[in-house]
Amino acid sequence: MGKTIMTVDDSSSVRQMVSFTLKDAGYSVVEAADGKDALQKLQGQVDMIITDLNMPNMDGIELIKNVRATSGYKFIPIVMLTTESQDEKKQEGKKAGASGWIVKPFKPPQILSVVQKLLK
Amino acid sequence: MNSQMMSDKEQMQQAFLEEAGDLLPELEAALLELDNAPSEPELINRVFRALHTIKGSGSMFGFEEVADFTHEVENAFELVRCGEMAVSKELLDLTFRAKDQIQLMLQDSAAKDSQGVQEILESVRELLPVKKQEAGESPKQEKQSQTSRENLAYRIRFKPDQNILAMGTDPMMLLDELRELGQAYVIAHSEDIPALEKLDPEKCFVWWDVILITTQGKNAIHDVFIFVEEDSELSIQIVDHVSGYGQEEGYRKLGEILTERGDLSRQDLEAALGSQKRVGELLVQAGLVSRTQVESALAEQQTMRRVQEDCSKDVSASSVRVPALKLDELVNLVGELVIAQSKLSRMVGDDGNMALRSIAEEIERLSDELRDNTLGIRMLPIGSSFGKFRRVVRDLCSQKGKEIELVTEGADTELDKTVIERINDPLVHLLRNSIDHGIESPEERAKLGKPRQGTITFSAAQSGGNVILTISDDGRGMDSERIKAKALEKGIISQGDELGQRELLNLIFQPGFSTSTEISDISGRGVGMDVVRKNISALRGSVDAESIPGEGSTIRISLPLTLAIIDGLQVRVGEQHFIIPLSVVGECIELEGNAQRGEANWDFVRLRDQLIPYISLRKFFEVQGEAGSIEQVVVVDTGEKLMGLVVDEVLGQQQTVIKNLSRVYQHIREVSGATILGDGSIALILDVSRLGEMAAG
């Protein structure tokens, strides 16, 4: 069964890169431009979320909290995109319920290995 | 797949450029507003976000310079965001300039070297309150070290955070991942699960002890738990080197395991041991440990005992140490057998006895297998030399003030042990060349925008009957113009010679060639490369150079897997037989009608539209008697040129077991060894490249 992954990022190029990489590996991908957009699109089959932290309208932390409070998505893996200098944010994200993180900048194989680790 | 990825990459780069086209005006707009309201947090955030995205995406899509540049400007705004720095007129001015600079850099990658970048960065750095510049630098990631091949047993205790499920992590998957690393024995502890009325089904109360036997390092195990390590109770201990040796008494006693795990103190154990019941029973009765803890420890004991039994069986069956001398002897004997067998085949071939022939064929098959197996034993992994190479790199680096990392690949690739012994020196020489001439000094590299640390990659891989070794560096590369000029100056080539890029580069292997202007005590005397090539040719290998100026050079060496037995072409001159290694033979033609007298020592034979110099083996080795009316020419490639060898008759291809000549004859350089023919007579094996030199000289 094909798994569906949602990628949330205000940068369209990052979304495209994540999306290309995942589609290439056989996943279905839903794209969202920020937390708000992501919550609206969160319905039906979504098996995993990859989200940036720094976004307008609703940031990644808020999004994680909201997803964890949404029935049906309470236990899905959520991966946050962080940068080296954002250690505090990372802790905040974890507290909000993130399953893991990918440090930016990253290359396609890194996304895949994290996705494969969390989504079996 | 690869070209698909490439076009994806280009597409993504395009996407980034389009996005940057939106972001830069947004950055400008935010900056303008910020100019009016310098302490408005939302505006600061907008600026920061734009910079952040340009940086993050830039480095992902191959705009490293843009990313590095933006990173520093972003740093300043990070400080502003944290309230450690105020938005000043200077900062805004600089950011405006930075925005223009980014735009320039994206439009034209040549702009990356421009002065503006440095100026802006220096001014930005001056604005920073403290030395924060380096704060955001990512630590250099260590290249993954080679995993040890040794089997280790780990005792892993994993007590996840009770909320682990709510973090989207399934602990079962982690255990599955452990199982992928090696043999895992999992013992679940259920004693913390509360009574049903108090049970929260969304929490995880179970924890696990795992005994994992794996060749992967501890880091690989930590990687499994990377996302949950901080919140969980996790301990990873090495229990034992799993080996069959020195463990006569079997695995540890139960009490020892419990104390080692910290479940029980030594005193309590000793006190309990005073009585005579089974330790586990006693300890549980005394309430010192729980029943599951005992069971888990017992499981470890059993597992380890079983594993050790398996291993000791494996070890005794799988490896025996034998002195190399015995191996050489065995190879010699097998060689003799192959010869004896070919005598037998020859005898039987002449005879019509069917029964005898079938026996001869069976012996032929067996001796072939025996030969292959025996030669297989002599194969050693090339990784055994890597330690030496690392040392060379390390020593030379400190001597020359360079920073170089040696990356090795294909340590498992096997080569005949004689080949390994004899290729060592040439390889070390090539490494030294890379360090001395290839990799620039750290300062120079920094100036060129390369990482300060240079990389030399040494890789080995098998390809058919050959092993390909490559040494490549990311240094300055070879300058083919300089090589050409030098070769002209040294008279190695003449003005009219038209040489391709590859031929030009391979001039470095010519005797007396060196382009390095200063002679260092490591290399650069111009004696090195031709010796390297000679040594490699002596192993019947070949060497080839490639280079991209400014990006580095690659030297490729191809070596035969084994030296003991080769395919040879057997030829006859008078009563004498010679073997020419088949690997150098191009073709055979008739001399009659193609010959032309040339100057000095050389005569020429016409091969299609080419004149090829030839020597007569009859003359060269002073074989008695006159040649027959039809002579044949074997065209060989000496690595430098084509050359003809005139013989009376080409007898055909033959498996040749190489015998070394005795010390007395070692000075005869044109002969690399001898072999015994099926009829018991001896044939000399010709070293073609040396033969060419001798005839020319």
Side-chain angles (χ1 to χ4, degrees), chain B residues 534-575:
Chain B
K534 228 170 252 169
N535 286 340
I536 291 168
S537 308
L539 294 169
R540 283 186 316 286
S542 62
V543 58
D544 198 29
E546 276 170 42
S547 175
I548 302 171
E551 288 182 26
S553 326
T554 300
I555 308 277
R556 261 169 64 93
I557 300 168
S558 167
L559 288 172
L561 277 173
T562 175
L563 282 185
I565 294 184
I566 59 164
D567 278 326
L569 188 70
Q570 192 183 348
V571 298
R572 183 182 62 80
V573 180
E575 297 295 303

Side-chain angles (χ1 to χ4, degrees), chain A residues 11-14 16-17 20 24 68 74-77 83-84 91 94 97-101 105-106 117-118, chain B residues 1 5 12 15 19 48 52-53 57 59-61 138 165-168 173 177 202 223-224 226-227 230-231:
Chain A
S11 153
S12 63
S13 58
V14 173
Q16 262 200 52
M17 180 205 201
F20 266 131
D24 227 36
R68 287 286 177 240
K74 238 175 161 170
F75 302 117
I76 65 169
T83 58
E84 284 289 345
Q91 294 308 333
K94 284 191 71 175
S99 326
W101 57 90
F106 51 82
K117 182 177 170 62
L118 289 169
Chain B
M1 175 76 193
M5 288 298 278
M12 283 191 275
E19 186 186 18
F48 178 80
H52 184 75
T53 309
S57 308
S59 70
M60 276 186 271
F61 300 117
S138 60
L165 299 171
M167 312 256 293
M173 263 171 20
E177 225 173 306
E202 291 188 357
D223 278 352
V224 170
I226 182 161
F227 291 141
E230 282 171 44
D231 311 305

Side-chain angles (χ1 to χ4, degrees), chain A residues 9-14 16-18 20-21 24 52 54-57 68 74-79 83-86 89-91 94-102 104-108 110 114 116-120, chain B residues 1 4-5 8 11-12 15-16 18-19 45 48-49 52-53 55-57 59-61 64 74-75 78 81 135-139 141 165-169 173-174 176-177 180 202 223-231:
Chain A
D9 205 307
D10 54 330
S11 153
S12 63
S13 58
V14 173
Q16 262 200 52
M17 180 205 201
V18 174
F20 266 131
T21 310
D24 227 36
D52 193 22
N54 239 311
M55 291 180 296
N57 299 327
R68 287 286 177 240
K74 238 175 161 170
F75 302 117
I76 65 169
I78 304 179
V79 175
T83 58
E84 284 289 345
S85 49
Q86 283 181 316
K89 279 270 176 189
K90 194 173 97 184
Q91 294 308 333
K94 284 191 71 175
K95 219 170 270 163
S99 326
W101 57 90
I102 301 174
K104 285 204 281 191
F106 51 82
K107 298 261 151 61
Q110 285 166 285
V114 171
Q116 279 156 1
K117 182 177 170 62
L118 289 169
L119 200 60
K120 279 193 186 157
Chain B
M1 175 76 193
Q4 173 70 26
M5 288 298 278
D8 279 1
Q11 235 174 310
M12 283 191 275
F16 169 69
E18 277 168 23
E19 186 186 18
N45 259 334
F48 178 80
R49 243 192 336 260
H52 184 75
T53 309
K55 176 193 92 170
S57 308
S59 70
M60 276 186 271
F61 300 117
E64 309 286 347
E74 181 205 341
N75 262 353
E78 169 83 42
R81 238 165 50 125
E137 296 299 314
S138 60
Q141 260 196 333
L165 299 171
M167 312 256 293
T169 303
M173 263 171 20
L174 300 176
D176 283 343
E177 225 173 306
E180 281 165 19
E202 291 188 357
D223 278 352
V224 170
F225 295 102
I226 182 161
F227 291 141
V228 295
E229 198 161 10
E230 282 171 44
D231 311 305

